[in-house]
Coordinates of all heavy atoms in Angstrom, one line a residue:
H427 N 20.3 5.1 -10.9 CA 20.0 5.8 -9.7 C 18.9 5.1 -8.9 O 19.0 5.0 -7.7 CB 19.5 7.2 -10.0 CG 19.2 8.0 -8.9 ND1 20.0 8.5 -7.8 CD2 17.9 8.5 -8.4 CE1 19.3 9.2 -7.0 NE2 18.0 9.2 -7.3
I428 N 18.0 4.5 -9.7 CA 16.8 3.8 -8.9 C 17.3 2.5 -8.3 O 17.0 2.1 -7.2 CB 15.8 3.5 -10.0 CG1 15.0 4.9 -10.4 CG2 14.7 2.5 -9.4 CD1 14.1 4.6 -11.6
V429 N 18.4 1.9 -9.0 CA 18.9 0.7 -8.5 C 19.6 0.9 -7.3 O 19.6 0.3 -6.2 CB 19.8 0.0 -9.5 CG1 20.6 -1.2 -8.9 CG2 19.0 -0.6 -10.7
E430 N 20.4 2.1 -7.3 CA 21.1 2.5 -6.0 C 20.1 2.8 -4.9 O 20.4 2.4 -3.8 CB 22.0 3.7 -6.4 CG 23.2 3.4 -7.3 CD 24.0 4.6 -7.7 OE1 23.6 5.7 -7.3 OE2 25.1 4.4 -8.3
Q431 N 19.1 3.6 -5.3 CA 18.1 3.8 -4.3 C 17.5 2.6 -3.7 O 17.2 2.4 -2.5 CB 17.0 4.8 -4.8 CG 17.5 6.1 -5.1 CD 16.4 7.1 -5.6 OE1 15.4 6.6 -6.0 NE2 16.7 8.5 -5.7
T432 N 17.2 1.6 -4.6 CA 16.6 0.4 -4.2 C 17.6 -0.4 -3.3 O 17.1 -1.0 -2.3 CB 16.2 -0.5 -5.4 OG1 15.4 0.3 -6.3 CG2 15.6 -1.7 -5.0
Q433 N 18.8 -0.4 -3.7 CA 19.8 -1.1 -2.8 C 19.9 -0.4 -1.4 O 20.0 -1.1 -0.4 CB 21.1 -1.1 -3.5 CG 21.2 -2.1 -4.8 CD 22.5 -1.9 -5.5 OE1 23.4 -1.2 -5.1 NE2 22.8 -2.8 -6.4
D434 N 19.9 0.9 -1.5 CA 20.0 1.5 -0.2 C 18.8 1.3 0.6 O 18.9 1.0 1.9 CB 20.1 3.1 -0.5 CG 21.5 3.5 -1.0 OD1 22.4 2.7 -0.9 OD2 21.5 4.6 -1.6
L435 N 17.7 1.3 -0.1 CA 16.4 0.9 0.6 C 16.4 -0.5 1.1 O 16.0 -0.7 2.3 CB 15.2 1.2 -0.3 CG 13.8 1.0 0.3 CD1 13.6 2.0 1.5 CD2 12.7 1.1 -0.8
A436 N 16.9 -1.3 0.3 CA 16.9 -2.8 0.8 C 17.9 -3.0 1.8 O 17.6 -3.8 2.8 CB 17.4 -3.6 -0.4
I437 N 19.0 -2.2 1.8 CA 20.0 -2.4 2.9 C 19.5 -1.8 4.2 O 19.6 -2.5 5.3 CB 21.3 -1.7 2.4 CG1 22.0 -2.5 1.3 CG2 22.3 -1.7 3.7 CD1 23.2 -1.8 0.7
S438 N 18.8 -0.7 4.0 CA 18.4 0.0 5.3 C 17.1 -0.7 5.8 O 16.8 -0.6 7.0 CB 18.1 1.5 5.0 OG 17.1 1.5 4.0
N439 N 16.3 -1.4 5.0 CA 15.0 -2.0 5.3 C 15.0 -3.4 5.0 O 13.9 -4.0 4.7 CB 13.8 -1.2 4.7 CG 13.7 0.2 5.1 OD1 13.4 0.6 6.3 ND2 14.1 1.1 4.2
Y440 N 16.1 -4.2 5.1 CA 16.1 -5.6 4.8 C 15.2 -6.5 5.7 O 14.6 -7.4 5.4 CB 17.5 -6.1 4.7 CG 18.2 -6.3 6.0 CD1 18.1 -7.5 6.7 CD2 18.8 -5.2 6.7 CE1 18.8 -7.6 7.9 CE2 19.4 -5.4 7.9 CZ 19.4 -6.7 8.5 OH 20.0 -6.9 9.7
K441 N 15.2 -6.1 6.9 CA 14.5 -6.7 8.0 C 13.0 -6.7 7.6 O 12.2 -7.7 7.7 CB 14.7 -6.2 9.4 CG 16.0 -6.5 9.9 CD 16.1 -5.9 11.3 CE 17.6 -6.2 11.8 NZ 17.7 -5.6 13.2
T442 N 12.6 -5.5 7.2 CA 11.1 -5.4 6.8 C 10.8 -6.2 5.6 O 9.7 -6.9 5.5 CB 10.9 -3.8 6.5 OG1 11.2 -3.1 7.6 CG2 9.4 -3.7 6.1
F443 N 11.8 -6.2 4.7 CA 11.5 -7.0 3.4 C 11.4 -8.4 3.8 O 10.6 -9.2 3.2 CB 12.6 -6.8 2.3 CG 12.6 -5.4 1.7 CD1 13.8 -4.6 1.5 CD2 11.4 -4.8 1.5 CE1 13.7 -3.5 0.9 CE2 11.3 -3.6 0.9 CZ 12.5 -2.8 0.6
I444 N 12.4 -8.9 4.6 CA 12.3 -10.4 5.0 C 11.0 -10.7 5.7 O 10.3 -11.7 5.5 CB 13.5 -10.6 6.0 CG1 14.8 -10.5 5.2 CG2 13.3 -12.1 6.5 CD1 16.1 -10.7 6.0
K445 N 10.5 -9.8 6.6 CA 9.4 -10.1 7.4 C 8.2 -10.0 6.4 O 7.2 -10.8 6.6 CB 9.2 -9.0 8.5 CG 8.0 -9.2 9.4 CD 8.1 -8.3 10.6 CE 6.9 -8.6 11.5 NZ 6.9 -7.7 12.7
T446 N 8.2 -9.1 5.4 CA 7.2 -9.0 4.5 C 7.1 -10.2 3.6 O 6.0 -10.7 3.4 CB 7.5 -7.7 3.6 OG1 7.4 -6.5 4.4 CG2 6.3 -7.6 2.6
A447 N 8.2 -10.7 3.2 CA 8.2 -12.0 2.4 C 7.7 -13.1 3.3 O 6.9 -14.0 2.7 CB 9.7 -12.3 2.0
E448 N 8.1 -13.1 4.5 CA 7.6 -14.3 5.4 C 6.1 -14.1 5.5 O 5.4 -15.1 5.4 CB 8.3 -14.3 6.7 CG 9.7 -14.7 6.6 CD 10.4 -14.5 8.0 OE1 9.7 -14.0 8.9 OE2 11.6 -15.0 8.1
N449 N 5.7 -12.9 5.8 CA 4.2 -12.7 5.9 C 3.5 -12.9 4.6 O 2.4 -13.6 4.7 CB 3.9 -11.2 6.3 CG 4.4 -10.9 7.7 OD1 4.5 -11.8 8.6 ND2 4.6 -9.7 8.0
S450 N 4.1 -12.6 3.5 CA 3.4 -12.9 2.2 C 3.3 -14.4 2.0 O 2.3 -15.0 1.5 CB 4.3 -12.3 1.0 OG 4.4 -11.0 1.2
R451 N 4.4 -15.1 2.4 CA 4.4 -16.6 2.3 C 3.3 -17.2 3.2 O 2.6 -18.1 2.8 CB 5.7 -17.2 2.6 CG 5.9 -18.7 2.2 CD 7.2 -19.2 2.7 NE 8.3 -18.5 2.0 CZ 9.1 -17.7 2.7 NH1 9.1 -17.5 3.9 NH2 10.1 -17.1 1.9
S452 N 3.3 -16.7 4.4 CA 2.2 -17.2 5.4 C 0.8 -16.9 5.0 O 0.0 -17.7 5.1 CB 2.5 -16.5 6.8 OG 1.5 -16.9 7.6
I453 N 0.8 -15.6 4.4 CA -0.7 -15.2 3.9 C -1.0 -16.1 2.7 O -2.2 -16.6 2.6 CB -0.6 -13.7 3.5 CG1 -0.5 -12.8 4.7 CG2 -1.9 -13.4 2.7 CD1 -0.3 -11.4 4.5
Y454 N 0.0 -16.4 1.9 CA -0.3 -17.3 0.8 C -0.8 -18.7 1.2 O -1.8 -19.2 0.7 CB 0.9 -17.4 -0.1 CG 0.8 -18.3 -1.2 CD1 0.1 -17.9 -2.4 CD2 1.4 -19.6 -1.3 CE1 -0.1 -18.8 -3.5 CE2 1.3 -20.4 -2.3 CZ 0.5 -20.1 -3.4 OH 0.4 -21.0 -4.5
K455 N -0.2 -19.1 2.2 CA -0.5 -20.5 2.8 C -1.9 -20.4 3.4 O -2.7 -21.4 3.2 CB 0.5 -21.0 3.8 CG 1.8 -21.4 3.2 CD 2.8 -21.8 4.3 CE 4.1 -22.3 3.8 NZ 5.1 -22.7 4.9
E456 N -2.1 -19.3 4.2 CA -3.5 -19.1 4.7 C -4.6 -19.1 3.8 O -5.7 -19.6 3.8 CB -3.5 -18.0 5.7 CG -2.7 -18.1 6.9 CD -3.2 -19.2 7.9 OE1 -4.4 -19.4 7.7 OE2 -2.4 -19.7 8.6

């Protein structure tokens, strides 16, 4: 159930995750 919720969450908020990853990567470099 958690995996399904995670997938639904990832599908519905994939843009946020991508932006968060990019920001994390940028923050890491900074």
Side-chain angles (χ1 to χ4, degrees):
H427 179 71
I428 291 172
V429 170
E430 290 176 355
Q431 289 180 347
T432 303
Q433 289 176 354
D434 292 337
L435 180 64
I437 292 170
S438 60
N439 295 293
Y440 73 95
K441 293 181 180 180
T442 303
F443 291 141
I444 294 173
K445 188 174 182 180
T446 300
E448 291 177 354
N449 290 337
S450 298
R451 189 182 301 109
S452 176
I453 291 171
Y454 178 74
K455 291 181 179 179
E456 291 294 332

